[in-house]
Amino acid sequence: GINMDKLERSYLPTISLALVALEDRKLDTFCKAIHSLQLVELSQTQSKGDADKSIRWAFNVVFTRCWRRSGQTESNVDANIVPIGDMFNHR
């Protein structure tokens, strides 16, 4: 979703478009968190566009390798990142 352009998004059905919009909001929140923590510094050779690509890459890594498990209450959610977890479905 976050890697789709406007033309690609225009072909999505309504429900899929809602999911893409949710992913956009998650990316926006993720970017704000990264910038507020000042974890990303631009080197003299790195442009803002390159930094944004790095943040998108990190977002994709986090949200494609993260599993959530509900706890005893709705607010008690355990989330874990498993770096090689995506390899379990490959032979």
Side-chain angles (χ1 to χ4, degrees):
I2 63 169
N3 297 312
M4 294 178 147
D5 62 25
K6 286 184 179 185
L7 178 63
E8 292 169 323
R9 288 175 182 227
S10 70
Y11 287 102
L12 292 175
T14 305
I15 188 69
S16 298
L17 195 55
L19 293 172
V20 169
L22 174 63
E23 192 172 69
D24 285 341
R25 289 192 302 273
K26 286 174 25 179
L27 174 62
D28 187 52
T29 302
F30 187 84
C31 288
K32 287 177 182 175
I34 293 292
H35 288 299
S36 71
L37 295 171
Q38 299 176 346
L39 295 175
V40 176
E41 291 184 26
L42 292 177
S43 68
Q44 292 178 341
T45 60
Q46 187 180 35
S47 69
K48 184 180 180 330
D50 289 339
D52 289 342
K53 285 180 186 176
S54 296
I55 292 171
R56 282 178 175 262
W57 174 83
F59 174 84
N60 282 320
V61 167
V62 168
F63 285 97
T64 60
R65 290 162 180 81
C66 179
W67 280 272
R68 290 190 173 108
R69 185 183 65 191
S70 297
Q72 298 292 335
T73 64
E74 188 174 314
S75 63
N76 184 13
V77 176
D78 184 29
N80 298 288
I81 294 177
V82 181
I84 60 168
D86 61 334
M87 298 300 288
F88 291 130
N89 63 347
H90 299 281
R91 289 184 174 195

